[in-house]
Amino acid sequence: MAREVTHDETGPTRIDDETLEEQGGAAFICRCGLSANKPYCDGSHNATLDEEEGATYKYENDDSDGPRREVAGFEYADE
């Protein structure tokens, strides 16, 4: 399973001691692309638990609460 995610940030987010303190001493970084609190995980990945292996999905507005559709013809670039 894969997700098409639209990113609009153009640079990194610094994670320093103050930021870690605000996150309760640990930071969990979002990897699903659906968190409303990027770059931090907010649990939005739970919406992906029933995605089918081998399929690619797009969530409307990259929002885990939005409707999900399967993206046809998506191919990964050769690595």
Side-chain angles (χ1 to χ4, degrees):
M1 76 200 106
R3 253 157 264 103
E4 177 187 300
V5 179
T6 304
H7 292 275
D8 57 15
E9 297 299 326
T10 58
T13 297
R14 181 180 174 153
I15 301 173
D16 56 20
D17 290 338
E18 183 178 332
T19 304
L20 284 175
E21 186 176 320
E22 291 170 3
Q23 295 294 317
F28 294 87
I29 305 301
C30 173
R31 295 190 316 164
C32 75
L34 299 174
S35 176
N37 190 30
K38 290 182 189 83
Y40 307 108
C41 174
D42 68 0
S44 292
H45 58 273
N46 289 317
T48 71
L49 296 177
D50 64 345
E51 291 180 351
E52 292 184 31
E53 192 68 36
T56 301
Y57 297 94
K58 175 69 178 172
Y59 289 75
E60 188 171 314
N61 299 319
D62 297 330
D63 182 352
S64 62
D65 291 329
R68 171 178 75 189
R69 65 177 169 80
E70 190 170 343
V71 179
F74 184 85
E75 295 182 22
Y76 291 101
D78 293 332
E79 295 183 358

